[in-house]
Amino acid sequence: MDIARSYNIPADVKKILHISCYDCHSSNTNYVWYDYIQPVRMMMESHIKRARKDLDFSEWGTYSNRKKERLLTSIKKQIETKEMPPPSYTLMHKNARLNKMQAKVLIDWVGSQE
């Protein structure tokens, strides 16, 4: 059901998605040591639960075409406006930050799928 089964995703896009998006927006969360310490753990679990409710790349194949289109538009907009990944997440997970080139790669790829 993963998004990678629905689209031919280039390796560079997959890498960015896995590093910057999948921890919250998939069932493939990779926790780091400090994610197990309270109150970080509680904050992370809450954040992940809300994130997956909005978008779960692991469940992409179950979404209707209309929902996929809406989500692609939303993903593109949120990257362009730097809403995603959120600063509250990248504060502790610096490797999830998108530099300008990574953001452009994602925006261009998402735009090509709309």
Side-chain angles (χ1 to χ4, degrees):
M1 294 296 143
D2 191 84
I3 190 170
R5 292 184 168 261
S6 297
Y7 302 101
N8 182 16
I9 303 176
D12 57 341
V13 173
K14 274 186 192 178
K15 183 177 179 180
I16 296 167
L17 287 173
H18 281 276
I19 292 171
S20 297
C21 309
Y22 266 57
D23 277 349
C24 296
H25 292 284
S26 81
S27 58
N28 300 312
T29 302
N30 292 311
Y31 293 101
V32 292
W33 67 268
Y34 49 80
D35 288 331
Y36 292 98
I37 301 170
Q38 294 296 354
V40 174
R41 179 64 177 206
M42 187 172 58
M43 182 180 75
M44 284 300 300
E45 288 301 321
S46 174
H47 183 87
I48 291 168
K49 185 177 180 180
R50 283 193 319 269
R52 285 184 190 156
K53 183 179 176 199
D54 292 339
L55 167 62
D56 188 339
F57 287 118
S58 299
E59 298 296 323
W60 188 268
T62 67
Y63 297 157
S64 69
N65 288 338
R66 185 175 178 172
K67 183 172 183 175
K68 289 175 187 175
E69 289 174 22
R70 181 182 56 78
L71 287 170
L72 288 170
T73 300
S74 180
I75 291 166
K76 184 177 174 186
K77 179 183 173 205
Q78 289 184 39
I79 294 170
E80 288 172 337
T81 60
K82 297 181 168 93
E83 291 176 60
M84 284 290 155
S88 62
Y89 182 74
T90 58
L91 178 67
M92 295 294 291
H93 300 86
K94 295 183 186 330
N95 64 327
R97 291 181 184 159
L98 295 174
N99 63 37
K100 288 181 183 181
M101 180 58 79
Q102 291 168 320
K104 181 178 178 355
V105 166
L106 283 180
I107 290 166
D108 290 348
W109 180 79
V110 170
S112 73
Q113 303 310 308
E114 294 180 300

